[in-house]
Structure formats: C-alpha cells, structure tokens
Amino acid sequence: MKLILLGPPGAGKGTQAKQLLGLLGIPQISTGDMLRAAIANETALGMEAKEYMDAGKLVPDEVVVGLVKDRISKSDCSSGFMLDGFPRTVPQAEALESALNEDGKKIDNVVLIDVEDDELVGRITGRRSCGACGAIYHLIFSPPPKEDTCACGAGGLIQRADDNEETVRQRLSAYHQQTAPLVDFYRDRGVLKAIDGTKKTPGEVFNKIKYELQLES
Ligand code: AMP
C-alpha cells in the first residue's frame, strides 16, 4: 500500500504512522525527521532547511521532492510506503504523482486527520519525544512513565525547536495556505479518507483509520 498521512502539525500523523508500521510493515517516511537528521549531521541541505523550519515556514519544494524521490526508490519501499508530512504543497503532490506514474504506480490512500487549530497549539507545545527511540509523549495527555525519561530507558525527552507557540502559529498558517488545498487534490482523485481527530485519543483515531483502510473490523 502506498499511503499518505495528511493533516495539520500536531494532528498525530507521526503517532499514527508508528502504529500503522506494526500493522502494515511498510516504511514510514517523514520528511520532517529526514530534515532534522540533516540538521543534526550539519549537512549543507540541513543548514538550508533549518532557517525555514525555525521560522515555521515550508522548506522549498525542490529540496523535499529530491529527498522523497530518492527515498521511495529504495528497495524497502518496493511493496509500499507511508508518507508522513509529505506532500505539503500542490507542486509537491504533482511531482510525487509524476514520479510514481513513470513506474506505473499511484497513491492508494490518503488519510486526512483533521483537528481544530485551538486544540493543535496545546498539543504541540506539550509534545516531547525520546532522543534515542523517537517515541512521542505529551506532558498532559500521554505523559512518560517517569518524568523526563522514555519508557525505552535509553533516552531523555526533548522538545523540538519549532514546537513553541509562535512558530506553531506560523506552521498552522502555512498549513492552511499551502497544504490544505491537497484535500481537494486527493478528493478529486478518489483516494481521500477524512477523519475528524478533534478531541479524540490516539487510540480512537487509530481505530477510525483501521476502519477506513479496512485493515480490521
Ligand atoms: P514536521 O516534522 O512534519 O512537522 O515538519 C517540521 C518542519 O519541517 C516543517 O514545519 C517544515 O519547515 C519542514 N518540512 C517537513 N516536511 C516538509 C515538506 N513536505 N515540505 C516543506 N517543508 C517541510
């Protein structure tokens, strides 16, 4: 299955992707994670991306399109993949569509997790993740078993540099202006499955995704 997880920042795309990973056995491809890795490795691409990310703006299309095209051509993507945080603009979606078309492939499903802006700000500013295994927590809604320590035992919890309120508001504005048009883009192609994630637990959203994708009863 070739699947896209679409939705505003903080909607739970990464959390759901990690759940789906166990069920579908296809790789999760997160452009945000790839860009953060490039920053950590201090590559030229990472340094360019950092300026946009710190400002809550989207990284230029050609940068992320290149990363994704390269990633989905790897052998572990031959039976499918899950895109988390890509595409985020119509030109990105068009570039993905033509890259897949060249190989006679297409996106099978796009799961939209929609959440109201007011709830997203609280969700994102309370978000923490494990520096070692990547597990995601929320200080109030999904706290770690022991303060500041991941259940894996190996990592301390960190807050993303762009998870502060000012940057979050800018990211939400980028979502509404540049990413929301993808809802119609994929609805027109008959692959959109829309889920209302407002005031829902991760478990409730996961059950809805499984239902929409007919993965389990
Ligand atoms: P995320 O981890 O998906 O919330 O992404 C964090 C940041 O990385 C975003 O606010 C953007 O600055 C950048 N980013 C991630 N994916 C993309 C994308 N597909 N297009 C442009 N910028 C992206």
Side-chain angles (χ1 to χ4, degrees), residues 9 13 30-33 35-36 52-53 56-59 64 84-88 92 127 160 162 171:
K13 300 183 296 294
S30 157
T31 39
D33 285 350
L35 293 168
R36 281 184 288 277
Y52 294 95
M53 292 167 78
K57 297 189 173 153
L58 294 187
V59 172
V64 280
D84 156 15
F86 180 94
R88 261 174 154 103
Q92 288 179 22
R127 180 160 69 180
R160 274 172 45 175
D162 58 348
R171 287 161 63 198

Side-chain angles (χ1 to χ4, degrees), residues 18 73 166 191:
K18 286 186 172 54
S73 68
E166 193 191 336
V191 289

Side-chain angles (χ1 to χ4, degrees), residues 2-62:
K2 286 175 281 307
L3 172 72
I4 292 173
L5 290 165
L6 184 64
K13 300 183 296 294
T15 301
Q16 297 300 329
K18 286 186 172 54
Q19 294 288 312
L20 283 167
L21 200 71
L23 211 58
L24 298 173
I26 50 176
Q28 169 196 7
I29 301 174
S30 157
T31 39
D33 285 350
M34 291 164 94
L35 293 168
R36 281 184 288 277
I39 293 173
N41 291 328
E42 298 183 353
T43 66
L45 187 148
M47 294 304 101
E48 185 194 349
K50 187 176 184 327
E51 289 190 22
Y52 294 95
M53 292 167 78
D54 284 350
K57 297 189 173 153
L58 294 187
V59 172
D61 288 336
E62 57 275 19

